[in-house]
Amino acid sequence: MTRKTRAAVMYDYHSPLQVETVDLVDPADDQIVVKIAACGVCHTDLSVTQALLPYPPPVVLGHEAAGVIEEVGKGVRHLKPGDHVVLSCVPNCGHCAYCRAGQTHLCDTGIKVAMEGADIGFRKDGTDIARFCGLGGFAEHTVI
C-alpha cells in the first residue's frame, strides 16, 4: 500500500527545500510509521543544505523529532499505535569498542553509515529520497 505524505525535500545544495507530496516507503517488519508532531531545525540540517556536510541529495532532512506511532511492523513488540515517541539520531554499529562500552555516541562506523545517503524512506516519481540520519523528520510521516 502506498501512503502519501508531505515532506520538505532537498534536491540540491544551496537551493530552497521543496515542500511536496511524496510516497512513504512501506515499513519493514521491524519498523514503525510515525506521524511527526514537531521537528527541530538544527545547524546540522543547515550544514547539509550548504554542502558543508556532504549528504547526497535528494533527502528529507530533520534528525530530531517527536510524534505519534500510527503503524507498527509485524516484528515490533514493544511499541503500539498511539504511543508517543521522540526520534533522535545516534547512529552506531553496536560492535566497536565504543559501542561495547556503552558510548554509542562516539561510534565512527555508525556516523559513516548514517551519512551515506542510502537510507531510503520516500519516493517521488520513481526517484528514491533518503531520510537524513535514518529519520527524515521534515515530513508529516516517516518510517523508523
Side-chain angles (χ1 to χ4, degrees):
M1 171 181 108
T2 301
R3 180 192 303 244
K4 301 283 186 186
T5 194
R6 302 228 347 123
V9 183
M10 184 190 85
Y11 285 103
D12 201 6
Y13 303 111
H14 307 288
S15 298
L17 303 182
Q18 301 296 313
V19 178
E20 57 190 9
T21 300
V22 296
D23 296 325
L24 185 67
V25 299
D26 291 329
D29 287 347
D30 63 345
Q31 293 180 318
I32 61 175
V33 175
V34 176
K35 180 176 177 147
I36 301 295
C39 185
V41 179
C42 179
H43 191 268
T44 304
D45 300 303
L46 180 61
S47 294
V48 174
T49 66
Q50 296 172 342
L52 299 173
L53 190 59
Y55 196 94
V59 59
V60 174
L61 299 172
H63 62 284
E64 301 167 341
V68 179
I69 297 174
E70 286 195 344
E71 182 182 340
V72 299
K74 291 184 259 183
V76 176
R77 304 280 181 251
H78 62 287
L79 299 168
K80 65 186 180 313
D83 284 350
H84 292 242
V85 292
V86 174
L87 312 175
S88 181
C89 179
V90 184
N92 62 82
C93 71
H95 306 290
C96 70
Y98 289 122
C99 288
R100 289 193 312 269
Q103 296 177 309
T104 56
H105 62 286
L106 298 175
C107 177
D108 289 334
T109 303
I111 291 292
K112 288 176 187 168
V113 170
M115 296 306 293
E116 289 177 348
D119 196 355
I120 305 305
F122 309 91
R123 290 193 178 84
K124 172 84 177 186
D125 299 329
T127 299
D128 289 340
I129 302 171
R131 296 173 294 170
F132 184 51
C133 291
L135 296 178
F138 289 1
E140 292 178 345
H141 297 85
T142 192
V143 173
I144 304 296

